[in-house]
Each structure stands twice: as C-alpha cells, then as structure tokens.
Amino acid sequence: MKLIIDQSLEHQDVEITIKCGIIDENLERLIAQIRLYSFSITGKKDGRSHLIRLEDVYYIESTDNKTFLYSEKDVYECHYKLYELEEHLANSHFVRISKSCILNIAMLANVRALLNGKFEAQLVNKEKLIINRHYVQAIKDKIQF
C-alpha cells in the first residue's frame, strides 16, 4: 500500500481518494475508520448542545427511552435511538454488546469471560461493561479473537 500526502495551502478541504483493485477486509476497516473520523453527533449536556466526535465516544447506552453518549469524562444525551446509531455505525469500530449498549472497541482494554456465557469488557478508562451472551459472537467477530 502506498500513502501519498499532498499538502498545500491551495487545498481548501481535506480530500481522501482510495485507488485499489479490490476492497478487502482490511481496506473496509480503514474506510470505516475514515468515515467515523469525519462523523460527529450533537449531544446535550447542562442545557447546551455539544458537537461530539465519535472517536471520542467510549460507548452509547439507552436508558428510559433516552440515548446517552459516554466520553472519557462526560455524558451527553442524544436524540437518536440506539438502533439508528447501530445502523449508522455498522461498519465501524462500534458493536452492540447488549440490548441497551453499543461499545466503541477502540476504547476496549481487555475482555474476560464470566459465568453463564457473558463477558466483561474493561475500557481504557477502567470502566467495566457487561457483554450479553447473545452479542458475544458479534464482538468476537469485530476484534477477531
């Protein structure tokens, strides 16, 4: 793979062009990350709207018909439903781990098996989430272990 960077003050916007013979699994992941990098979502906190980059989101959780975005230190409410975000993030580093939670596997530090088929995910900020047994295969496929 060649990487060519053309930096010039003449360029107004960042443009990424991918030239390839075939799109393999690795290239699909790279494209998904590029798309994720350019996508942000509006979240509300303390009555104010904030633009949140998805790469800063550790996980997304739905509670009492409200959806929340969790970053390293803050929690934001968002107007999307969990299934809408899951559809939009399908080809990214986000994966559904329970009925009410989507995890950014880029923020995953480690995973350990628990009793009854569930797993425990520890994030880089030391927070722990439970991976429901129905979603274990999906996360195994994403992180390929």
Side-chain angles (χ1 to χ4, degrees):
M1 179 187 312
K2 289 192 307 186
L3 176 63
I4 300 170
I5 299 173
D6 179 8
Q7 181 180 357
S8 171
L9 294 176
E10 295 175 6
H11 302 304
Q12 298 298 317
D13 293 322
V14 174
E15 178 182 316
I16 298 173
T17 303
I18 297 175
K19 297 178 182 180
C20 62
I22 189 167
I23 297 178
D24 63 7
E25 187 176 318
N26 289 331
L27 190 53
E28 279 184 18
R29 278 192 296 232
L30 177 61
I31 292 167
Q33 280 305 108
I34 292 168
R35 286 187 177 133
L36 180 63
Y37 182 79
S38 64
F39 184 74
S40 58
I41 190 167
T42 302
K44 289 189 177 184
K45 181 182 175 195
D46 300 328
R48 295 177 184 240
S49 293
H50 301 267
L51 203 56
I52 301 145
R53 298 179 315 173
L54 278 179
E55 67 260 24
D56 295 333
V57 174
Y58 281 59
Y59 63 97
I60 305 165
E61 186 175 44
S62 180
T63 307
D64 296 330
N65 289 322
K66 294 181 180 179
T67 304
F68 298 94
L69 308 171
Y70 292 79
S71 66
E72 183 178 8
K73 297 177 183 174
D74 295 309
V75 180
Y76 303 91
E77 185 176 348
C78 108
H79 70 277
Y80 289 105
K81 298 288 185 195
L82 201 60
Y83 76 89
E84 294 172 324
L85 290 169
E86 181 182 25
E87 288 172 5
H88 185 76
L89 300 170
N91 293 319
S92 70
H93 279 203
F94 284 83
V95 63
R96 189 74 164 267
I97 62 166
S98 71
K99 184 178 175 183
S100 61
C101 189
I102 299 172
L103 171 66
N104 181 353
I105 60 171
M107 300 300 180
L108 186 61
N110 61 64
V111 176
R112 73 179 181 105
L114 300 175
L115 299 176
N116 62 21
K118 293 182 180 180
F119 278 59
E120 179 184 76
Q122 183 173 359
L123 308 182
V124 293
N125 67 351
K126 305 294 184 208
E127 191 168 353
K128 295 178 181 177
L129 300 172
I130 298 299
I131 303 169
N132 186 294
R133 62 189 174 133
H134 299 292
Y135 298 93
V136 168
Q137 190 58 49
I139 196 162
K140 282 183 176 181
D141 293 343
K142 283 280 188 178
I143 61 177
Q144 300 168 351
F145 73 91

